[in-house]
Amino acid sequence: MEPVNGGSVQIQNENGSRKLPNFLQSVNMKYVKLGYHYLITHLFKLCLVPLMAVLITEISRLTPDDFHQIWLHLQYNLVAFILLSALAVFGTTVFIMTRPRSVYLVDYSCYLPQASLQVPYKKFMDHSALIDDFNASSLEFQRKILERSGLGEETYLPEGLHCVPPRTTMAAAREEAEQVMFGCLDKLFENTKINPRDVGVLVVNCSLFNPTPSLSAMIVNKYKLRGNVKSFNLGGMGCSAGVISIDLAKDMLQVHRNTYAVVVSTENITQNWYFGNKKAMLIPNCLFRVGGTAVLLSNKASDRRRSKYKMVHTVRTHKGADEKAFNCVYQEQDDNGKTGVSLSKDLMAIAGEALKANITTLGPLVLPISEQILFFVTLVWKKLFNAKLKPYIPDFKLAFDHFCIHAGGRAVIDELEKNLQLSQTHVEASRMTLHRFGNTSSSSIWYELAYIEAKGRMKKGNRVWQIAFGSGFKCNSAVWVALHNVKPSVSSPWEHSIDRYPVKLDF
């Protein structure tokens, strides 16, 4: 064996020679970074080791006479000792009474429509062609959007839109709302064995359908909830309203002791289908599909053992003060008086700005101190020495084990995968949810969580980041930690299809 110029080693054998790399020159920087993160994360513990060693050494040197002197000293200062003890007990009591109550996610249920409501590409286009409102250019545009959307052949549309001509009456819209909301809630109450009258807080969010009486009142009437239930009906808040509802329920559970909160997230399509030819308003037709979820939250300590997750953080970011952000998702009428939701060409750029603002707040709450130091040092260096230096993008994979990115469309998932430097596995749940169920608005992040559970990937201690975007413009995040190895709920929406996923997507 002999050194070879260039820093490698040459090994002679009977078949010739073979070079091995110089391992000192080929150390992968990712391992250096992992070592750095480990050192910084455990720095405080490492510093405590010598302190504890000194303390143990000093205690081991104490003699029985030294312990006797300490006892006598306490006796001579009994009043001060009692006062200090009482102060410690009082402070501990105040801390326990005023600290935020833990909020647990007992279980949740996602709506699975009946197979007859599935809408393959061909059926979608055939029905669209039968509607006189769409011209040839609009039909071709919808076909191209469908092919590039990331949606599969098994997504669902409400019963009224399967009719020719479509049945978009108020009665049909109510039927859709009842089927979705009651379908979710029936499963939730059955799985959790909760009496509906034990629910103290009810939050319902649906952006585009707000009848009178409200959707929350429909639920109160159906399940005969008690008269003093705190009910809320959120409208017009877009696809991120699910996290807003969770945040509102969390705040209510801080005020009302020993109770349950139910959050229902859905969207209603029947009366919000666009029958015009403005291309910016045709995109929602191709992406949005039927879906909904019901979530049961509890602040009861006794529910911890049977709950799936504990809430860690909710962070809400609103960019509505900016005119472009406010107008990028806008419900309006076109020149022919047809109502629809228009999506701006600036949508992805605005979503990126909202995401940056959101993670700026979320980062310090969840990122390890090692990542925060790197971010801060890079920021200072950029300000003082090199204005062209790229900002350091924190590695959120160190903070979270699973990502539930709102399945708003293929472009949304692509951008977050790129900007957060995620792997295909991290965005798998979002892509497969979009493929199987389409954009189900505020409920999509729950279908994604159900996918992760159905794959058996949710282990005790895993952290989940749910992130959603919505009109306004808003970016909202919810962080959960798994309390045990989580199994899929009974009647999971993936129960009969999980073995077929993930599927290969051809873009």
Side-chain angles (χ1 to χ4, degrees):
M1 182 187 301
E2 57 181 3
V4 178
N5 292 338
S8 62
V9 176
Q10 190 172 37
I11 299 177
Q12 297 286 348
N13 57 32
E14 58 184 3
N15 296 323
S17 64
R18 178 168 57 88
K19 289 184 179 181
L20 295 178
N22 186 329
F23 294 107
L24 293 178
Q25 294 182 0
S26 62
V27 174
N28 195 321
M29 284 304 295
K30 75 175 183 179
Y31 296 112
V32 176
K33 190 175 179 181
L34 285 174
Y36 160 75
H37 285 305
Y38 185 85
L39 176 63
I40 297 298
T41 302
H42 299 282
L43 184 62
F44 181 71
K45 296 176 184 177
L46 294 173
C47 291
L48 283 178
V49 171
L51 181 62
M52 292 297 296
V54 171
L55 183 62
I56 292 172
T57 302
E58 291 299 319
I59 292 176
S60 65
R61 292 176 179 175
L62 293 177
T63 64
D65 187 56
D66 293 328
F67 284 109
H68 182 67
Q69 290 299 321
I70 294 173
W71 173 249
L72 290 176
H73 183 73
L74 286 176
Q75 285 183 319
Y76 290 134
N77 297 274
L78 186 61
V79 175
F81 177 72
I82 292 175
L83 288 176
L84 287 173
S85 299
L87 184 62
V89 172
F90 177 76
T92 303
T93 303
V94 171
F95 171 75
I96 294 173
M97 295 296 292
T98 57
R99 68 177 179 175
R101 292 185 177 87
S102 295
V103 175
Y104 303 106
L105 193 163
V106 181
D107 204 351
Y108 63 97
S109 176
C110 298
Y111 178 64
L112 180 64
Q114 57 193 32
S116 62
L117 297 182
Q118 288 182 356
V119 53
Y121 289 180
K122 186 177 185 305
K123 185 174 183 179
F124 182 96
M125 293 308 304
D126 288 347
H127 278 211
S128 296
L130 293 173
I131 299 173
D132 295 333
D133 301 88
F134 299 131
N135 59 33
S137 176
S138 295
L139 291 171
E140 178 61 16
F141 178 77
Q142 291 182 77
R143 185 187 64 78
K144 289 180 178 179
I145 292 295
L146 273 177
E147 291 175 350
R148 303 169 185 172
S149 65
L151 274 68
E153 298 278 358
E154 299 179 276
T155 60
Y156 305 89
L157 283 177
E159 189 173 344
L161 295 182
H162 282 267
C163 300
V164 180
R167 186 166 61 94
T168 58
T169 62
M170 173 65 78
R174 283 184 178 275
E175 288 174 10
E176 180 192 349
E178 290 174 354
Q179 288 173 2
V180 175
M181 295 191 306
F182 299 164
C184 295
L185 288 166
D186 286 346
K187 289 184 198 172
L188 182 70
F189 290 136
E190 181 181 356
N191 291 347
T192 59
K193 311 302 181 187
I194 292 295
N195 187 329
R197 294 190 63 82
D198 291 334
V199 175
V201 178
L202 172 65
V203 185
V204 181
N205 67 266
C206 181
S207 287
L208 298 175
F209 181 59
N210 294 285
T212 300
S214 66
L215 297 176
S216 59
M218 291 165 61
I219 293 173
V220 172
N221 176 261
K222 165 71 174 180
Y223 295 97
K224 309 305 177 189
L225 302 188
R226 64 196 196 208
N228 64 346
V229 64
K230 307 298 180 184
S231 65
F232 302 87
N233 200 95
L234 308 182
M237 303 194 79
C239 299
S240 68
V243 178
I244 296 174
S245 297
I246 291 291
D247 185 58
L248 174 58
K250 178 199 71 174
D251 290 344
M252 294 300 295
L253 289 175
Q254 297 303 313
V255 178
H256 301 279
R257 294 176 175 271
N258 297 317
T259 191
Y260 292 106
V262 168
V263 173
V264 178
S265 297
T266 187
E267 191 51 83
N268 194 282
I269 301 175
T270 299
Q271 285 194 317
N272 295 289
W273 201 254
Y274 175 59
F275 295 98
N277 294 292
K278 186 176 179 180
K279 290 181 171 56
M281 300 170 75
L282 280 168
I283 297 175
N285 284 11
C286 303
L287 297 179
F288 283 89
R289 297 294 184 264
V290 171
T293 187
V295 182
L296 179 66
L297 303 176
S298 172
N299 58 11
K300 300 181 180 182
S302 58
D303 280 323
R304 178 185 173 90
R305 291 187 63 184
R306 70 168 182 149
S307 296
K308 288 186 170 185
Y309 305 94
K310 178 182 176 182
M311 182 183 293
V312 182
H313 300 291
T314 53
V315 175
R316 294 167 53 182
T317 302
H318 206 307
K319 304 292 287 185
D322 179 79
E323 290 300 321
K324 282 188 176 180
F326 178 76
N327 291 300
C328 71
V329 181
Y330 203 87
Q331 186 179 25
E332 60 184 355
Q333 289 182 324
D334 63 14
D335 295 337
N336 296 314
K338 304 290 186 179
T339 302
V341 176
S342 178
L343 303 182
S344 167
K345 293 180 180 179
D346 300 324
L347 178 59
M348 291 311 304
I350 292 167
E353 289 299 315
L355 173 65
K356 183 163 60 174
N358 189 266
I359 63 178
T360 300
T361 304
L362 180 67
L365 299 175
V366 299
L367 287 169
I369 189 67
S370 54
E371 280 295 289
Q372 297 186 46
I373 291 173
L374 283 175
F375 177 79
F376 178 74
V377 170
T378 306
L379 183 65
V380 172
W381 188 271
K382 178 179 173 66
K383 292 289 185 182
L384 298 180
F385 303 106
N386 186 358
K388 295 182 179 179
L389 182 68
K390 290 184 178 180
Y392 178 72
I393 305 298
D395 187 356
F396 279 91
K397 297 187 292 295
L398 294 171
F400 303 111
D401 302 283
H402 306 286
F403 297 80
C404 295
I405 301 166
H406 166 53
R410 197 190 89 195
V412 174
I413 301 171
D414 287 347
E415 281 299 308
L416 265 73
E417 179 186 4
K418 176 183 175 182
N419 291 331
L420 296 178
Q421 300 174 1
L422 303 178
S423 69
Q424 285 291 325
T425 302
H426 290 129
V427 297
E428 181 183 311
S430 301
R431 291 197 189 282
M432 296 307 106
T433 294
L434 182 65
H435 182 272
R436 177 66 182 84
F437 296 101
N439 181 350
T440 60
S441 189
S442 56
S443 65
S444 69
I445 53 178
W446 297 102
Y447 286 90
E448 294 163 18
L449 188 59
Y451 179 90
I452 297 169
E453 293 176 2
K455 283 293 183 183
R457 298 173 182 171
M458 190 64 67
K459 306 302 180 183
K460 182 178 180 179
N462 282 182
R463 287 197 167 202
V464 188
W465 181 14
Q466 291 179 319
I467 182 166
F469 302 90
S471 57
F473 189 83
K474 300 178 287 293
C475 176
N476 300 320
S477 296
V479 179
W480 307 87
V481 60
L483 296 174
H484 47 78
N485 295 343
V486 181
K487 296 180 179 179
S489 303
V490 178
S491 301
S492 163
W494 297 94
E495 191 172 46
H496 304 296
S497 59
I498 192 62
D499 292 336
R500 294 190 277 116
Y501 284 88
V503 297
K504 184 177 180 181
L505 302 176
D506 297 320
F507 296 136

